[in-house]
């Protein structure tokens, strides 16, 4: 699982947007990034930051990661 931050061009509103969240799919970090590019649209992605999370993650640890990277 990775935490992501992404800046992308929103074609519906015609403006740049920023979003943060989690991606949880099988595979490598590259698979996670590919999934983000596919989800947001390859040509719309401006910048992606990812932070690898542990396999077992408590709510407290997740909150720490979120607060640390915002």
């Amino acid at each position: 699982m990775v935490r992501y931050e992404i800046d992308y061009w929103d074609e519906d509103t015609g403006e740049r947007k920023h979003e943060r969240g989690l991606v949880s799919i099988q595979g490598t970090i590259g698979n996670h990034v590919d999934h983000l590019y596919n989800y947001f649209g390859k040509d719309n992605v401006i910048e992606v930051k990812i932070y690898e999370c542990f396999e077992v993650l408590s709510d407290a640890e997740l909150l720490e990661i979120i607060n640390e990277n915002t």
Side-chain angles (χ1 to χ4, degrees):
M1 177 181 350
V2 297
R3 171 143 171 85
Y4 71 87
E5 291 188 39
I6 190 166
D7 289 328
Y8 66 98
W9 184 258
D10 186 331
E11 293 177 343
D12 294 333
T13 63
E15 55 190 22
R16 182 179 177 145
K17 292 202 173 175
H18 181 81
E19 187 171 309
R20 294 180 288 231
L22 295 171
V23 177
S24 178
I25 62 170
Q26 297 284 330
T28 65
I29 297 294
N31 292 121
H32 290 85
V33 173
D34 288 343
H35 187 68
L36 287 168
Y37 271 84
N38 291 332
Y39 183 82
F40 288 96
K42 190 174 187 176
D43 294 333
N44 297 330
V45 175
I46 299 166
E47 180 179 22
V48 176
K49 296 178 184 176
I50 58 171
Y51 307 92
E52 190 172 13
C53 299
F54 301 102
E55 187 174 319
V56 177
L57 194 62
S58 71
D59 284 346
E61 291 169 319
L62 179 58
L63 187 57
E64 183 179 320
I65 289 169
I66 291 170
N67 289 333
E68 178 180 297
N69 295 310
T70 57

